[in-house]
Amino acid sequence: MTREETIAGLKEVLAVIRPKANFDEITNDTRLVQDLGIDSLSMMFMSLAVEEKFAFRFETQAPFETVGEVCEYIESRLK
């Protein structure tokens, strides 16, 4: 899976959680809390949706700060 495919899948998840976000401007450097307004409850929902979308279970509770960090974790789980 390419980074572009991973970001596209993550954008699908984020569209449900943060429907008013501008997805054209989301990059690897987009910050989840500061730029997208993801709070702890939204982070939990995002984690569950990512697990379902990409068919794996999170094995870490490390806080992700950016879209790129989430993508890197997803890609590491899909290897």
Side-chain angles (χ1 to χ4, degrees):
M1 178 173 284
T2 67
R3 177 55 60 101
E4 291 78 23
E5 292 169 328
T6 305
I7 287 179
L10 186 56
K11 283 180 180 181
E12 290 176 22
V13 168
L14 292 170
V16 174
I17 296 167
R18 302 298 298 167
K20 295 181 182 180
N22 183 354
F23 296 100
D24 293 333
E25 295 181 6
I26 291 179
T27 68
N28 284 318
D29 297 324
T30 300
R31 298 169 299 174
L32 298 170
V33 174
Q34 295 89 342
D35 299 332
L36 296 177
I38 302 285
D39 59 17
S40 59
L41 183 59
S42 296
M43 188 71 76
M44 182 185 74
F45 286 130
M46 182 186 78
S47 297
L48 294 171
V50 165
E51 287 180 342
E52 185 175 317
K53 172 79 178 164
F54 294 98
F56 73 85
R57 294 276 180 226
F58 276 91
E59 293 182 353
T60 182
Q61 294 181 350
F64 298 105
E65 292 186 24
T66 66
V67 167
E69 289 174 357
V70 176
C71 289
E72 286 173 17
Y73 185 77
I74 291 169
E75 291 163 353
S76 74
R77 297 289 294 143
L78 297 178
K79 288 183 181 180

